[in-house]
């Protein structure tokens, strides 16, 4: 149950509302207590005033042991008023509207402390002289059992009117009980209402969940309906749809990649099987067998090159998580140019290197592979007797290396396709060069893993220029610091 967001929200909101209700009820309880006490004080003070007036104008009525208070004060206020208690009042304080008269007592003491007269005076209050220091006041007894009002009368007498506080305590208990049971009764419907409201609020999330289940079942084209989403969820739904679009593209790309890999591997395998079948059909001379073995070896080398390229691509795509270090790019570029020198000589292509010291952050082996691939690609597509230039520069706080050839170039509408896996501008070159269409994809993947990129530009006069850009100095420095020295 606690793993349910709906349950946790319902319980949390219910507890919050209960806490607020308790706080409000506590304030109401104190206010009710104060109102009831003030009502008691008003009645006591009125009776004390009538008591003092009677002593002043009819002192002889106080000489009896029991006061005749039939006409001492006006009738009880609750009995005299035509304002009848409401249903709410009857529920809140039943004892306060029971019709019972206001319970009170009175007493008069001479100056020497002897009792002059009394009316229902509790025995504990009749003893002693505690009122001499509390004249003209209304106070509660130290034991909290009575509320007393006292004043000076004629000839040094002390007049006292009081009421027991037991009815007040009963009324407050009734108030407290009313608060408790009303809150207890309100909790279940309040919780059900919150559950229903939260359920309605979570319907969009349920729709998102159903969409996800549909996609998991194989319907990869399903998307979250933005028109039915609440404004608070539109941003999340849009982001999820974009993510799903991206994943769909990756899925399609991966499926196409797998098919391309299978095709690239099966072609030389079929060639090897064909040569083996032909060799078994009739006896072959030594020269014929030698040619068959050589052909099979060439096809096996092609499979090996493809496997190595796939491994290189896998390493390139994980370069973002690999260790990077500060290094000088110049020796890496020069070493790459040296490595492809033999290939350039075979095609009678000249390599011109314009390099200088430049500090970058990266993986030396992967960067070496980038420049080897770009140089080999430029040499492959350069005419016999052509020229390939590799130039290092700095632009906008970034290190830039441009590899330029002067061959046939690339049509502008295919500029981005050349970076796709297994793409070849001229498929007729596959057999001649053994190309696998992964070189540029590997280069871009490596550079993006380094926070940079590889970008194509047309060479003025014909040809292609591949611009290798590195991360800005501050970004590269931060990444080098994260990877350690």
């Amino acid at each position: 149950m606690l793993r349910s967001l709906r349950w946790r929200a319902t319980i949390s909101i219910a507890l919050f509302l209960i806490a607020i209700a308790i706080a409000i009820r506590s304030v109401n309880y104190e206010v009710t207590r104060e109102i009831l006490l003030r009502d008691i004080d008003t009645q006591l003070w009125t009776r004390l005033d009538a008591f003092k007036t009677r002593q002043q104008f009819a002192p002889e009525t106080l000489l009896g042991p029991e006061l005749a208070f039939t006409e001492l004060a006006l009738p009880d206020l609750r009995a005299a008023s035509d304002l009848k208690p409401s249903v709410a009042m009857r529920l809140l304080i039943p004892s306060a509207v029971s019709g019972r008269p206001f319970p009170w007592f009175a007493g008069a003491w001479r100056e020497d402390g002897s009792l002059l007269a009394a009316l229902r005076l509790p025995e504990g209050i009749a003893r002693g002289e505690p009122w001499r220091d509390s004249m003209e006041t209304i106070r509660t007894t130290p034991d909290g059992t009575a509320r007393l009002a006292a004043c000076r009368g004629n000839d040094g007498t002390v007049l006292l009117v009081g009421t027991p506080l037991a009815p007040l305590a009963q009324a407050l208990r009734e108030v407290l009980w009313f608060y408790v049971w009303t809150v207890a009764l309100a909790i279940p419907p309040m919780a059900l209402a919150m559950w229903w409201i939260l359920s309605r609020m979570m319907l969009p999330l349920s729709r998102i969940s159903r969409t996800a289940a549909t996609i998991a079942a194989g319907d990869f084209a399903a998307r979250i309906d933005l028109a039915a989403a609440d404004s608070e969820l539109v941003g999340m739904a849009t982001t999820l749809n974009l993510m799903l679009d991206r994943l769909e593209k990756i899925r399609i790309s991966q499926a196409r990649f797998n098919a391309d890999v299978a095709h690239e591997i099966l072609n030389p395998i079929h060639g090897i099987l064909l040569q083996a079948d032909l060799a078994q059909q009739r006896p072959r001379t030594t020269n014929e067998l030698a040619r068959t073995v050589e052909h099979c070896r060439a096809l096996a080398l092609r499979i090996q090159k493809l496997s190595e390229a796939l491994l290189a691509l896998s390493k390139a795509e994980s370069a973002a998580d690999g260790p990077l270090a500060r290094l000088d790019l110049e020796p890496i570029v020069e070493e790459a140019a040296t490595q492809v020198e033999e290939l350039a000589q075979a095609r009678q292509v000249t390599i011109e290197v314009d390099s200088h010291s430049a500090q970058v952050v990266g993986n030396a082996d992967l960067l070496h592979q980038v420049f080897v691939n770009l140089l080999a690609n430029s040499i492959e597509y350069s005419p016999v007797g052509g020229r390939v230039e590799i130039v290092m520069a700095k632009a906008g706080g970034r290190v830039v290396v441009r590899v330029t050839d002067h061959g046939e170039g690339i049509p502008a509408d295919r500029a981005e396709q050349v970076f796709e896996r297994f793409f070849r501008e001229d498929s007729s070159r596959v057999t001649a060069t053994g190309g696998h269409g992964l070189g540029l994809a590997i280069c871009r993947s490596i550079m993006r893993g380094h926070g940079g990129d590889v970008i194509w530009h047309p060479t003025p006069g014909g040809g292609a220029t591949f611009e290798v850009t590195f991360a800005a100095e501050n970004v590269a420095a931060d990444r080098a610091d994260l990877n350690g020295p």
Side-chain angles (χ1 to χ4, degrees):
M1 184 177 71
L2 292 180
R3 293 182 62 85
S4 169
L5 177 62
R6 194 177 312 171
W7 270 109
R8 292 201 305 271
T10 300
I11 293 173
S12 300
I13 296 174
L15 291 176
F16 176 71
L17 294 178
I18 290 172
I20 292 177
I22 291 174
I24 294 174
R25 295 300 196 184
S26 298
V27 173
N28 288 343
Y29 178 84
E30 291 299 323
V31 171
T32 302
R33 180 177 178 276
E34 184 177 343
I35 291 173
L36 293 175
L37 274 174
R38 288 186 180 277
D39 178 63
I40 290 172
D41 290 349
T42 300
Q43 300 225 35
L44 287 178
W45 203 250
T46 300
R47 281 165 172 73
L48 182 62
D49 180 63
F51 194 8
K52 185 174 182 178
T53 301
R54 184 168 184 173
Q55 185 198 35
Q56 182 177 359
F57 294 104
E60 67 280 1
T61 60
L62 303 180
L63 298 178
E66 285 290 332
L67 292 171
F69 279 159
T70 306
E71 300 177 356
L72 179 59
L74 291 172
D76 186 80
L77 180 62
R78 289 171 292 181
S81 176
D82 66 347
L83 183 62
K84 301 305 179 184
S86 64
V87 175
M89 177 62 79
R90 293 179 184 278
L91 290 173
L92 182 62
I93 317 177
S95 63
V97 295
S98 61
R100 293 193 297 268
F102 179 74
W104 65 293
F105 54 83
W109 284 265
R110 298 183 181 88
E111 189 174 6
D112 60 3
S114 60
L115 183 64
L116 177 64
L119 173 67
R120 297 187 296 273
L121 191 68
E123 185 172 338
I125 294 179
R127 292 194 291 268
E129 302 177 10
W131 323 119
R132 296 184 182 276
D133 299 329
S134 303
M135 296 300 99
E136 316 299 336
T137 61
I138 303 176
R139 295 188 180 184
T140 301
T141 58
D143 59 4
T145 59
R147 186 79 170 163
L148 307 176
C151 70
R152 293 286 182 183
N154 297 335
D155 303 323
T157 58
V158 175
L159 305 179
L160 174 72
V161 175
T163 183
L165 291 180
L168 174 64
Q170 174 63 25
L172 292 176
R173 282 194 296 271
E174 292 170 353
V175 170
L176 185 60
W177 171 243
F178 174 81
Y179 289 162
V180 170
W181 71 259
T182 52
V183 170
L185 283 178
I187 290 175
M190 180 177 62
L192 288 175
M194 286 187 294
W195 178 270
W196 182 81
I197 292 171
L198 287 171
S199 298
R200 298 293 299 175
M201 292 175 63
M202 295 181 70
L203 283 178
L205 295 180
S206 299
R207 287 195 291 268
I208 292 175
S209 178
R210 288 195 296 272
T211 300
T214 302
I215 295 172
D219 184 5
F220 300 108
R223 294 294 180 270
I224 300 169
D225 184 6
L226 297 180
D230 295 328
S231 58
E232 293 83 359
L233 297 177
V234 167
M236 181 185 72
T238 302
T239 302
L240 288 175
N241 280 345
L242 291 175
M243 179 191 71
L244 292 172
D245 290 341
R246 174 64 176 162
L247 291 175
E248 177 68 2
K249 290 180 181 178
I250 293 174
R251 185 187 69 83
I252 294 174
S253 175
Q254 187 64 43
R256 186 167 58 243
F257 174 73
N258 292 339
D260 289 342
V261 169
H263 176 74
E264 293 291 331
I265 292 178
L266 284 175
N267 275 346
I269 289 178
H270 287 160
I272 293 173
L273 292 175
L274 178 61
Q275 292 295 325
D277 290 342
L278 290 175
Q280 291 179 337
Q281 287 179 0
R282 61 178 177 82
R284 295 294 184 105
T285 65
T286 302
N287 290 336
E288 288 176 333
L289 288 176
R291 284 195 300 270
T292 298
V293 171
E294 183 61 28
H295 194 161
C296 290
R297 183 176 184 278
L299 293 173
L301 287 174
R302 184 175 166 188
I303 296 175
Q304 180 184 3
K305 286 184 65 177
L306 176 61
S307 300
E308 291 172 349
L310 291 172
L311 181 60
L313 181 62
S314 175
K315 290 180 179 179
E317 291 178 342
S318 63
D321 301 324
L324 302 181
R326 299 176 190 274
L327 48 85
D328 187 356
L329 191 59
E330 182 180 20
I332 295 175
V333 171
E334 291 181 348
E335 184 180 347
T338 301
Q339 183 170 331
V340 298
E341 183 64 35
E342 185 176 342
L343 176 63
Q345 290 177 358
R347 294 187 59 84
Q348 300 178 23
V349 174
T350 303
I351 300 177
E352 297 180 0
V353 180
D354 181 5
S355 63
H356 55 80
S357 180
Q359 294 294 314
V360 297
V361 173
N363 181 301
D365 293 335
L366 292 177
L367 293 178
H368 174 79
Q369 184 173 3
V370 168
F371 295 115
V372 168
N373 285 357
L374 291 177
L375 286 169
N377 186 77
S378 294
I379 293 169
E380 178 183 339
Y381 287 92
S382 291
V384 175
R387 185 177 76 256
V388 172
E389 299 117 21
I390 180 166
V391 179
M392 295 176 60
K394 205 166 188 180
R398 295 172 177 263
V399 174
V400 177
V401 181
R402 298 181 180 90
V403 179
T404 303
D405 67 62
H406 301 274
E408 299 175 3
I410 300 171
D413 59 347
R414 296 191 177 184
E416 284 301 310
Q417 288 181 280
V418 297
F419 294 102
E420 295 179 2
R421 301 164 179 175
F422 297 111
F423 177 82
R424 301 179 186 86
E425 174 61 24
D426 185 358
S427 58
S428 65
R429 295 177 179 265
V430 175
T431 305
T433 64
H436 40 63
L438 290 174
L440 293 178
I442 292 172
C443 292
R444 172 165 278 186
S445 181
I446 290 174
M447 290 312 302
R448 287 185 172 177
H450 281 67
D453 205 350
V454 179
I455 305 169
W456 168 86
H457 297 290
T459 302
T465 296
F466 290 95
E467 184 177 273
V468 180
T469 61
F470 287 81
E473 291 180 352
N474 57 339
V475 176
D478 291 343
R479 186 161 181 193
D481 292 339
L482 289 173
N483 284 276

